[in-house]
Amino acid sequence: MASSMPSKKQKKNKKHDKYSLSDLKTLGHQLLSSRAHVNNLPLLLSFITPSTRPKYALESLLSLQSFFIPLLPQLPSSTVSSSFTSDSQGDPEFIYRTWVRSKFDDFVQSLLDIVICSQSDDSLREVVLDTLMEFVKVGNGGKFHSAIYYRFLHNIVHSSLEVDDILLELLASKYFKYIDIRYFTYISFEKLSRSIGANDISDDRRERLDTTGVNQPESSLDLSVHKLSHLLSRIPPLEGSDDKAEYDMWNPAGIFTEKENDKGHTGKQRKGESTNIKVLSPANIAKKMKLKFTKAWISFLRLTLPVDVYKEVLVNLHQVVIPYLSNPLMLCDFLTRSYDIGGVVSVMALSSLFVLMTQHSLEYPNFYEKLYALLEPSIFMAKHRAKFFQLLDSCLKSPLLPAYLAAAFCKKLSRLSLAVPPSGALVIIALIHNLLRRHPSINCLVHQEDGNETTKDTTGAESGADDDSTEASSPSREMSSIKPSIDPFDDKQTNPLKTNAMRSSLWEVDTLRHHYCPPVSRFVLSLENDLTVRAKTTEVSVKDFSSGSYATIFGDEIRRRVKQVPLAFYTATPTMLFPESDFLGWTFKMKDKDSTTVLDKTSKGNDHISAKRSRVETS
C-alpha cells in the first residue's frame, strides 16, 4: 500500500514535465520585466536541484541570477530579515525585500547542493561555481561576501567529493589567483580546521604512525583533511611585497583598503566611511596575508593527519610554508615531534628542522643523537635519501663539532659501508672524505697501530665532553684489557659519546679497496691523500653521489672510455678456481687415492685379458 504511493520527488518531476524550455524562458522574462510576476520566482527555484535535467536547471539559473544580481545591494542581511521588528512589519517594501532575501538564501543553498553533487553535469557545475562566486563578489552590499564563501568551502570539505574532483580543480585554477580570494580562503580554512579538530580530539594517532606504508582515508574526517591539504597546496604563494608588486583582486572594492577593520570581516558598514576606495600598499597587503597564511597552516597542522598527508606536508614544508610564515618558529613543536618519531618520518622532517636551526636560531639539544640514530642500512634505500645525505653533510660541516662526535659519525658510516649497495658506499666515501678534511683531530682513525699510543689523546678528548672524572679515566683501563684484534667501536650504541669511536680505526674503508664494484674501489683511493693539507685537497660534492643507484652506476660504466680491453689470457693454465693464498688454511685439491685405485684395477684387468688372448693364439 505504502509502496504504491508516489513520492514527493516523483510528484515534483511530474510537475516539471508540464514545462518546456520555452516555458521556462517565458517565466524568466516575465520575472525580469515586472514585479507583478514575482510569483514566478518560487517556480523557477524548484528547478534548481541536482535531479533536474541540466538544460532546465541552467535556464532557470540564468533567469534567477539576472534577477538577484541588481537587487543584492538593496536586500537586508539574513540576520536582519529573520528578526525584523514590529515597526517594520507594516512596511510593504521591507516585507517584500525580506521575502526576496529568504528566496535568495534558498537559491544559494540549491546551488550548493548542485555543485557538491558529483552526479551532476560537469558543465552545469562549472556554471553554478561561477554564479556562486559572482554572489560572493557583490553579495555584501558590493563587497566580498565571506559568509557565502565560507558556506561554499564548508560544503566542499565536508561533502563526499573525492580529492581529484573537477570542482576542486576549477576552484584552484580559476579563482586562487586573486589575492582577496586567497585571503578569505585562509580565514575559512582556519575555521574549518578548528571544527574538524573539535570532531576528532584524539591526539594519539600521530604517535602510532605506520612509517612503512600509506593509509587510505578511513573516515569522512580523513577525507576532509585530504581535501583541505589539497586546496592549501594549490594556493599559490605571495608573489612579492615590494611597492612595485601588483595583485589581482576579485573585488577591487574589497578588504584591502586603508579604513578596513582587520578584526572582523562581517560586511558591516561604519558610519562616515568614505566612498573613495584607497587600496593598501603591497607591503601592508603582504603583512596581512602572512598573518592569515600562518594561522591557516598552524591550525591545519594541529589536526590528526593521515599518514600520506603527513608525509607530503613534511616533504614540502621547508619550501612552500616556512618562507611565508610570519614566525617560522611556531613550527618547532610540530617538527620536533615528527623528528622524534624516527625512520622515514624523521628523514622528511630533517629539512625543515635544519632550516629553523640555521636560519631562525632554533635550539634542539639532542639533535645530533637523533641524527646519529637515523644512520641505518634502510636509509640508503629510502625515497628521500638524496636530500638526507646532503643535509647530513651540511650538519657535520661546522668546525665546532667535538672530535668524539665527528669520529662517531665517521666510524658509523664506515661500518655501514659493509652492508649497503655500491651507490651507498660511494656516498659514504664522500662523507668520510669531507669529515676527515674538516676535522684533523680524527685523522688518527685512518691508521691506528696500537691502542696505547692514542689512549691519552682520546681519553682527554672524551673527558672534555663528560664532567665525571671516573668515567673519563675508565677508557684507559678498558683499553688495556681490549685485544688488538677486537674493534672497540660499539655500533649498537645510540649515544655517540659512548661508542668508543676514537679508539677504533677505519678498517672497513680499507676493505672497500677490494670492492667488487670498480667505481667504489677507484673512488676509495681518494682517501689515500693527505687530507690534513687543506690547500691540496677539496671537499667532495655529496650531491653528485646522493641519488645514485645500480642503474646510474651501470650507466656510468658503459659510458666510460676503456683504454685497455681486459682479455681472458693466462700465462699458465689455471688448475683451480680460487688460489690457496686467498683462503689461508683451506685447500681445494682432491686427493688422488680414489683415482689411483681405479687406475690400478684397470691395468690389472687389461693384463688378464692380454694373457687369455696369447693362450688362444698358441693353441
Side-chain angles (χ1 to χ4, degrees), residues 212-225:
T212 59
V214 175
N215 295 341
Q216 297 296 327
E218 300 176 354
S219 64
S220 59
L221 288 177
D222 285 342
L223 183 59
S224 298
V225 173

Side-chain angles (χ1 to χ4, degrees), residues 193-194 197 200 202-203 206 295 297-305 330 334 337:
S193 298
R194 290 180 179 177
D200 186 16
S202 61
D203 194 32
R206 183 175 295 159
K295 290 182 179 180
W297 269 102
I298 295 300
S299 300
F300 174 73
L301 294 178
R302 287 173 181 163
L303 297 175
T304 304
L305 304 179
M330 297 177 70
F334 173 77
R337 285 198 303 267

Side-chain angles (χ1 to χ4, degrees), residues 45-60:
L45 278 174
S46 64
F47 285 88
I48 310 298
T49 61
S51 58
T52 305
R53 283 175 288 182
K55 292 183 179 180
Y56 285 73
L58 180 60
E59 186 63 39
S60 301

Side-chain angles (χ1 to χ4, degrees), residues 21 23 45 144 157 194 220 281 284-285 406 435 495 517 520 594:
L21 280 176
D23 295 335
L45 278 174
F144 199 98
V157 171
R194 290 180 179 177
S220 59
S281 64
N284 290 333
I285 292 177
L435 281 171
N495 187 354
C517 186
V520 177
D594 296 336

